[in-house]
Amino acid sequence: MAKTGVFDSDPVVMSKATELKKELQKFVKSIVDDDDYRIETIDQAKETLCALRDLKIKKRSLSLKLRETVSCPDEFKCPLSKELMKDPVILATGQTYDRPFIQKWLRAGNRTCPLTQQVLSHTVLTPNHLIREMISQWCKNQGLELPDPVRQGNGEGITEAERDQFLSLVGKMSSELPEQRAAAKELRRLTKRMPSFRALFGESVDAIPQLLNPLLASKSASEVQADLQEDVITTLLNLSIHDNNKKLVAETPAVIPLLIEALRSGTIDTRTNAAAALFTLSALDSNKSLIGKSGALKPLIDLLEEGHPLAMKDVASAIFTLCFVHENKARAVRDGAVRVLLKKIMDGMLVDELLAMLAILSSHHKAIEEMGELGAVPCLLRIIRENSCERNKENCIAILHTICSNDRTKWKTVREEENAYGTISKLAREGTSRAKRKANGILEKLNRIVNLTHTA
């Protein structure tokens, strides 16, 4: 008689999953069928999806725990990992291995079969559908969930010994300080070097909170060991590189506050890596909103203002990506981004990157007002005249067009520049298509103003 799955055997969990799916269907139907649906309906759909995701993670976690206690038949184990195969493939010699482990063997330069030691005639790996189906049926009978090989495919086989090492290291993050420091340093090294170690954090709902334990246990930032904070923050950066981890890392409650604290109080390396982690996590739109709401923009802007060469690029990238969300533009402007960006541009620091950020912020009316007040117009005209980068000229003229359209007092400066150097006319002839369009728009308005003045 087949055993019941860990997930399916719990009627409460099954009922909850069914209920959530029905709710999700209702919300999605409302969004698809009704053109006048409420924004709250989207939020409710997102919350329902998150709840389903949490149930799925619990299912996976339970399945992993059960797998540890169940011994699988030897013919289902990879000869290299001694573990249940997730993606069995056939080597040229006819032997079957789990794909990530045999790929690891071949990438190391081996051209023989690990079992038979025969020289391989080729290195093509053929899926063993029969064994895969047999393993799938065995897992179903045991109540186990066989991981999807597509989602597993990180290209690095991880052995049972490596999994045990991972669990041991994560467990030591709740030990005494010397063990915490050693474990944090090793986790930093392994998550940088091995994609599979990054993926392991996604398999356990407790691993990231355990990683953060040393920082959470300290009563104040001054009590945190600088090297320990740096290792933990850098490990978070390494984890966030793994696409499947981005949502999990950002939504672990303590992560964003600890990254913000690191921006304020860490060594320059820690602060740089915290900014890089926020940049990497902000690849997801939902994370952009979450990070912005958490108050990360102010410490990022403060760090940009400090101008440390190690941190500048990562900080600028983080602010730039976050400002793709409209509400974050308002936060950045409120937190002083325009003043800091203009000052750095005028000082000739990271002009390319910071001009692109200024162009993004120029869609916010308050930012445009500030640019006009802080002397942006002469600065932008000088860059168009002197800078050879077409993209920089395009960003400058686009910002100028918006400033002048909102503040008529700036036309005098533009007219003087045009009379002295012909800067706008030259760009209208030689710039990118967008730059030409904006430059011609400015010239047309300038001519109208001149004609009106003459008429008057």
Side-chain angles (χ1 to χ4, degrees):
M1 181 178 174
K3 296 180 183 179
T4 348
V6 269
F7 193 58
D8 301 331
S9 62
D10 188 335
V12 177
V13 175
M14 283 183 66
S15 172
K16 182 65 177 173
T18 304
E19 180 186 328
L20 287 170
K21 287 178 182 178
K22 286 180 180 177
E23 283 184 16
L24 184 60
Q25 282 180 326
K26 181 181 71 176
F27 294 137
V28 171
K29 189 174 188 303
S30 173
I31 293 167
V32 172
D33 295 345
D34 186 1
D35 291 336
D36 196 29
Y37 62 86
R38 298 181 306 152
I39 292 176
E40 289 80 3
T41 308
I42 296 177
D43 293 334
Q44 289 169 323
K46 285 165 66 178
E47 287 171 11
T48 307
L49 274 171
C50 288
L52 271 171
R53 178 180 175 278
D54 290 342
L55 282 178
K56 188 70 174 174
I57 288 174
K58 287 179 184 175
K59 174 184 177 182
R60 189 188 303 167
S61 183
L62 286 168
S63 181
L64 285 167
K65 287 176 184 175
L66 185 58
R67 193 185 304 152
E68 291 170 4
T69 65
V70 177
S71 178
C72 72
D74 288 342
E75 60 268 27
F76 295 164
K77 292 180 182 178
C78 173
L80 291 171
S81 68
K82 310 301 181 188
E83 287 185 319
L84 181 68
M85 290 186 282
K86 288 90 173 176
D87 189 9
V89 292
I90 305 169
L91 198 58
T93 56
Q95 302 295 327
T96 296
Y97 299 90
D98 204 1
R99 185 186 295 275
F101 295 93
I102 193 61
Q103 284 179 334
K104 191 175 183 180
W105 168 267
L106 294 172
R107 274 202 307 274
N110 297 299
R111 287 298 176 266
T112 57
C113 174
L115 272 182
T116 66
Q117 299 303 311
Q118 287 177 257
V119 176
L120 301 175
S121 57
H122 60 79
T123 57
V124 176
L125 302 176
T126 308
N128 192 329
H129 297 297
L130 176 60
I131 290 293
R132 167 78 186 177
E133 183 57 37
M134 291 169 68
I135 291 173
S136 180
Q137 187 59 50
W138 179 84
C139 286
K140 187 177 179 182
N141 292 341
Q142 298 297 323
L144 298 174
E145 182 187 13
L146 183 63
D148 182 352
V150 174
R151 296 192 65 178
Q152 286 287 112
N154 50 50
E156 289 282 348
I158 189 143
T159 64
E160 190 62 37
E162 289 168 333
R163 191 182 297 275
D164 289 343
Q165 181 189 18
F166 164 76
L167 294 172
S168 171
L169 289 170
V170 169
K172 286 178 181 176
M173 298 301 285
S174 301
S175 301
E176 297 301 316
L177 182 59
E179 284 190 306
Q180 287 179 342
R181 293 173 73 172
K185 200 163 291 298
E186 185 65 2
L187 283 169
R188 172 181 178 172
R189 185 184 71 82
L190 290 170
T191 51
K192 177 182 179 180
R193 187 171 61 86
M194 297 176 63
S196 51
F197 253 78
R198 298 172 209 153
L200 277 172
F201 273 89
E203 292 184 5
S204 170
V205 291
D206 300 322
I208 295 175
Q210 284 179 283
L211 170 70
L212 304 179
N213 187 65
L215 306 189
L216 294 171
S218 301
K219 293 178 183 176
S220 68
S222 60
E223 292 182 12
V224 178
Q225 298 285 321
D227 59 339
L228 181 55
Q229 184 190 36
E230 183 181 323
D231 288 334
V232 171
I233 295 299
T234 308
T235 301
L236 284 175
L237 167 60
N238 295 341
L239 296 182
S240 67
I241 293 168
H242 192 75
D243 285 342
N244 291 341
N245 284 345
K246 292 187 193 299
K247 189 172 178 63
L248 175 65
V249 171
E251 292 183 357
T252 299
V255 166
I256 304 300
L258 286 174
L259 288 174
I260 292 173
E261 181 59 42
L263 284 173
R264 295 191 177 108
S265 67
T267 64
I268 191 59
D269 285 333
T270 301
R271 299 171 81 191
T272 300
N273 289 342
L278 289 171
F279 164 60
T280 308
L281 292 171
S282 64
L284 296 183
D285 284 346
S286 59
N287 287 352
K288 288 183 182 73
S289 298
L290 178 63
I291 293 167
K293 287 175 186 174
S294 300
L297 279 161
K298 183 64 169 71
L300 282 168
I301 292 166
D302 290 344
L303 186 51
L304 184 67
E305 185 171 23
E306 286 181 34
H308 197 291
L310 276 179
M312 287 280 285
K313 282 213 170 187
D314 287 311
V315 174
S317 298
I319 298 171
F320 180 77
T321 310
L322 288 169
C323 285
F324 278 104
V325 175
H326 184 70
E327 59 265 29
N328 284 342
K329 291 181 189 179
R331 294 185 180 107
V333 173
R334 180 197 65 205
D335 291 335
V338 173
R339 177 184 58 79
V340 173
L341 291 174
L342 270 174
K343 177 68 169 61
K344 295 300 175 190
I345 290 169
M346 289 175 181
D347 290 344
M349 298 181 70
L350 286 185
V351 173
D352 299 7
E353 292 86 347
L354 301 190
L355 268 176
M357 289 168 62
L358 208 60
I360 280 190
L361 293 181
S362 68
S363 64
H364 192 278
H365 68 281
K366 181 65 177 171
I368 284 298
E369 288 176 13
E370 279 193 52
M371 289 179 206
E373 292 166 4
L374 294 169
V377 172
C379 172
L380 295 170
L381 288 168
R382 178 179 54 78
I383 292 172
I384 294 173
R385 185 180 354 114
E386 298 177 357
N387 196 289
S388 60
C389 175
E390 293 300 324
R391 177 54 58 88
N392 288 349
K393 294 181 179 185
E394 182 181 308
N395 282 328
C396 285
I397 198 68
I399 298 167
L400 270 173
H401 188 278
T402 309
I403 293 175
C404 292
S405 298
N406 285 272
D407 185 353
R408 294 177 64 87
T409 65
K410 305 305 175 192
W411 285 108
K412 181 175 181 292
T413 308
V414 176
R415 186 171 66 247
E416 289 171 353
E417 173 76 22
E418 181 62 14
N419 290 339
Y421 302 103
T423 303
I424 310 297
S425 297
K426 185 178 180 183
L427 190 61
R429 293 191 305 271
E430 301 173 3
T432 64
S433 57
R434 180 169 177 251
K436 287 178 180 177
R437 194 166 62 250
K438 296 293 183 182
N440 279 313
I442 288 177
L443 289 172
E444 286 170 12
K445 288 184 179 179
L446 200 57
N447 289 332
R448 282 202 298 271
I449 291 169
V450 170
N451 290 334
L452 283 171
T453 305
H454 287 162
T455 304

